[in-house]
Amino acid sequence: IRRWTIPPIMPKQVMGLCPRDFTALVAKHRLRLAGTNHGGAEIAALENQFCNLKAAYVNDVELKEAIDEVDEDKADLDDAWKHLSKRYGKLHKFFGGLATVFPGTATVESDFSHLKMTSNSHVTNMTDFSLESKLHAKQFIDLQRLKLD
Protein backbone atom coordinates (compact mmCIF):
# COMPACT_ATOMS: atom_id res chain seq x y z
CA ILE A 1 0.00 0.00 0.00
CA ARG A 2 1.31 3.39 -0.97
CA ARG A 3 0.79 6.12 1.62
CA TRP A 4 0.21 9.62 0.37
CA THR A 5 0.68 12.67 2.48
CA ILE A 6 -0.72 16.01 1.55
CA PRO A 7 1.80 18.82 1.98
CA PRO A 8 0.70 21.94 3.83
CA ILE A 9 -1.08 24.22 1.39
CA MET A 10 -3.34 26.49 3.45
CA PRO A 11 -1.81 29.66 4.94
CA LYS A 12 -2.20 28.57 8.57
CA GLN A 13 -0.59 25.20 7.76
CA VAL A 14 2.23 27.01 5.96
CA MET A 15 2.83 29.12 9.07
CA GLY A 16 3.59 25.85 10.89
CA LEU A 17 6.58 25.20 8.62
CA CYS A 18 10.03 26.23 9.75
CA PRO A 19 12.34 27.67 7.06
CA ARG A 20 14.29 24.40 6.87
CA ASP A 21 11.08 22.43 6.20
CA PHE A 22 9.98 24.92 3.56
CA THR A 23 13.36 24.68 1.81
CA ALA A 24 13.09 20.87 1.90
CA LEU A 25 9.58 21.08 0.41
CA VAL A 26 10.82 23.32 -2.41
CA ALA A 27 13.79 20.98 -3.00
CA LYS A 28 11.44 17.98 -3.14
CA HIS A 29 9.43 19.66 -5.89
CA ARG A 30 12.38 21.28 -7.68
CA LEU A 31 11.98 19.06 -10.76
CA ARG A 32 8.30 19.90 -10.92
CA LEU A 33 9.18 23.59 -10.63
CA ALA A 34 11.81 23.23 -13.36
CA GLY A 35 8.97 22.69 -15.85
CA THR A 36 7.64 26.16 -15.04
CA ASN A 37 9.26 29.57 -15.03
CA HIS A 38 10.59 28.94 -11.49
CA GLY A 39 14.31 29.10 -12.15
CA GLY A 40 16.91 29.70 -9.45
CA ALA A 41 15.99 33.37 -9.04
CA GLU A 42 12.29 32.51 -8.82
CA ILE A 43 12.95 29.86 -6.17
CA ALA A 44 15.02 32.35 -4.18
CA ALA A 45 12.16 34.87 -4.44
CA LEU A 46 9.74 32.16 -3.28
CA GLU A 47 11.91 31.43 -0.24
CA ASN A 48 12.20 35.16 0.45
CA GLN A 49 8.41 35.55 0.36
CA PHE A 50 8.09 32.66 2.78
CA CYS A 51 10.48 34.29 5.28
CA ASN A 52 8.68 37.63 4.88
CA LEU A 53 5.28 36.03 5.45
CA LYS A 54 6.55 34.22 8.57
CA ALA A 55 7.88 37.51 9.96
CA ALA A 56 4.65 39.35 9.11
CA TYR A 57 2.61 36.60 10.80
CA VAL A 58 4.51 37.24 14.03
CA ASN A 59 4.61 41.05 13.80
CA ASP A 60 1.35 42.03 12.06
CA VAL A 61 -1.67 41.37 14.30
CA GLU A 62 -4.22 41.98 11.49
CA LEU A 63 -2.46 39.59 9.14
CA LYS A 64 -2.23 36.92 11.86
CA GLU A 65 -5.94 37.27 12.64
CA ALA A 66 -6.87 37.10 8.94
CA ILE A 67 -4.88 33.87 8.55
CA ASP A 68 -6.09 32.33 11.80
CA GLU A 69 -9.79 32.99 11.23
CA VAL A 70 -9.95 31.07 7.93
CA ASP A 71 -11.82 27.78 8.44
CA GLU A 72 -9.51 25.51 6.47
CA ASP A 73 -12.06 22.70 6.50
CA LYS A 74 -14.55 24.85 4.58
CA ALA A 75 -12.49 27.38 2.61
CA ASP A 76 -11.00 26.54 -0.73
CA LEU A 77 -7.36 27.31 -1.41
CA ASP A 78 -7.93 30.54 -3.34
CA ASP A 79 -10.28 31.91 -0.67
CA ALA A 80 -7.75 31.11 2.06
CA TRP A 81 -4.97 32.90 0.14
CA LYS A 82 -7.02 35.80 -1.27
CA HIS A 83 -5.88 38.37 1.32
CA LEU A 84 -2.25 37.26 0.84
CA SER A 85 -2.06 36.85 -2.94
CA LYS A 86 -1.17 40.43 -3.80
CA ARG A 87 1.88 40.49 -1.56
CA TYR A 88 2.73 36.77 -1.50
CA GLY A 89 1.58 35.70 -4.96
CA LYS A 90 4.51 33.36 -5.57
CA LEU A 91 3.67 31.43 -2.41
CA HIS A 92 0.00 31.23 -3.38
CA LYS A 93 0.94 29.89 -6.80
CA PHE A 94 3.47 27.41 -5.35
CA PHE A 95 1.10 25.97 -2.74
CA GLY A 96 -1.73 25.95 -5.27
CA GLY A 97 0.50 23.84 -7.48
CA LEU A 98 1.13 21.42 -4.62
CA ALA A 99 -2.63 21.05 -4.21
CA THR A 100 -2.93 19.65 -7.74
CA VAL A 101 -2.39 16.05 -8.68
CA PHE A 102 1.04 15.25 -10.09
CA PRO A 103 0.93 11.77 -11.62
CA GLY A 104 3.82 9.34 -11.62
CA THR A 105 4.95 7.42 -14.69
CA ALA A 106 2.89 4.32 -13.88
CA THR A 107 -0.22 6.45 -13.44
CA VAL A 108 0.33 8.17 -16.76
CA GLU A 109 0.84 4.86 -18.58
CA SER A 110 -2.31 3.50 -16.97
CA ASP A 111 -4.26 6.62 -17.90
CA PHE A 112 -3.21 6.46 -21.53
CA SER A 113 -4.11 2.78 -21.61
CA HIS A 114 -7.51 3.64 -20.14
CA LEU A 115 -8.02 6.47 -22.64
CA LYS A 116 -7.17 4.19 -25.54
CA MET A 117 -9.77 1.69 -24.39
CA THR A 118 -12.45 4.39 -24.15
CA SER A 119 -11.57 6.31 -27.27
CA ASN A 120 -13.83 6.48 -30.24
CA SER A 121 -14.05 8.74 -33.26
CA HIS A 122 -15.62 11.52 -31.19
CA VAL A 123 -13.29 11.24 -28.20
CA THR A 124 -10.19 11.57 -30.36
CA ASN A 125 -11.17 15.20 -30.87
CA MET A 126 -11.01 15.94 -27.14
CA THR A 127 -9.75 19.30 -25.98
CA ASP A 128 -7.07 19.53 -23.30
CA PHE A 129 -9.73 20.44 -20.77
CA SER A 130 -11.80 17.31 -21.34
CA LEU A 131 -8.67 15.16 -21.27
CA GLU A 132 -7.62 16.76 -18.00
CA SER A 133 -11.06 16.26 -16.46
CA LYS A 134 -11.05 12.62 -17.47
CA LEU A 135 -7.65 12.11 -15.83
CA HIS A 136 -8.73 13.93 -12.65
CA ALA A 137 -11.93 11.88 -12.43
CA LYS A 138 -9.90 8.69 -12.72
CA GLN A 139 -7.73 9.79 -9.77
CA PHE A 140 -10.69 10.77 -7.57
CA ILE A 141 -10.77 7.45 -5.69
CA ASP A 142 -7.03 7.66 -4.95
CA LEU A 143 -7.49 11.19 -3.61
CA GLN A 144 -10.31 10.03 -1.34
CA ARG A 145 -7.98 7.42 0.20
CA LEU A 146 -5.48 10.07 1.33
CA LYS A 147 -5.03 10.17 5.05
CA LEU A 148 -4.91 13.65 6.51
CA ASP A 149 -2.64 14.10 9.51
Side-chain angles (χ1 to χ4, degrees):
I1 290 180
R2 187 177 200 179
R3 280 234 159 135
W4 297 89
T5 57
I6 297 174
I9 56 169
M10 301 298 260
K12 192 171 181 179
Q13 297 169 342
V14 171
M15 292 301 91
L17 291 173
C18 68
R20 181 187 63 220
D21 293 337
F22 178 75
T23 300
L25 187 62
V26 170
K28 180 178 179 181
H29 296 280
R30 190 169 298 275
L31 287 176
R32 187 174 178 187
L33 290 170
T36 66
N37 62 349
H38 286 81
E42 283 289 312
I43 290 173
L46 184 67
E47 291 173 342
N48 189 42
Q49 276 194 4
F50 173 76
C51 291
N52 291 340
L53 179 57
K54 289 283 285 186
Y57 184 75
V58 171
N59 297 316
D60 185 339
V61 174
E62 288 181 24
L63 178 91
K64 183 178 184 337
E65 287 175 357
I67 290 173
D68 289 346
E69 66 187 29
V70 172
D71 185 350
E72 294 178 347
D73 292 329
K74 295 180 182 173
D76 70 17
L77 183 109
D78 288 331
D79 285 341
W81 280 92
K82 71 180 173 188
H83 57 283
L84 301 169
S85 288
K86 189 173 187 178
R87 194 166 175 195
Y88 305 102
K90 292 182 188 319
L91 286 176
H92 179 191
K93 188 174 179 181
F94 174 72
F95 286 107
L98 293 183
T100 62
V101 177
F102 185 64
T105 304
T107 305
V108 171
E109 289 170 5
S110 169
D111 290 339
F112 281 119
S113 174
H114 175 71
L115 289 172
K116 189 174 185 179
M117 290 187 325
T118 62
S119 70
N120 60 39
S121 61
H122 300 289
V123 177
T124 56
N125 294 326
M126 289 191 302
T127 63
D128 290 341
F129 179 73
S130 61
L131 175 61
E132 181 180 350
S133 64
K134 194 170 199 174
L135 294 173
H136 278 279
K138 189 171 179 303
Q139 295 172 342
F140 180 72
I141 293 171
D142 291 334
L143 289 172
Q144 285 184 315
R145 289 188 199 131
L146 292 175
K147 301 231 186 273
L148 300 175
D149 293 332

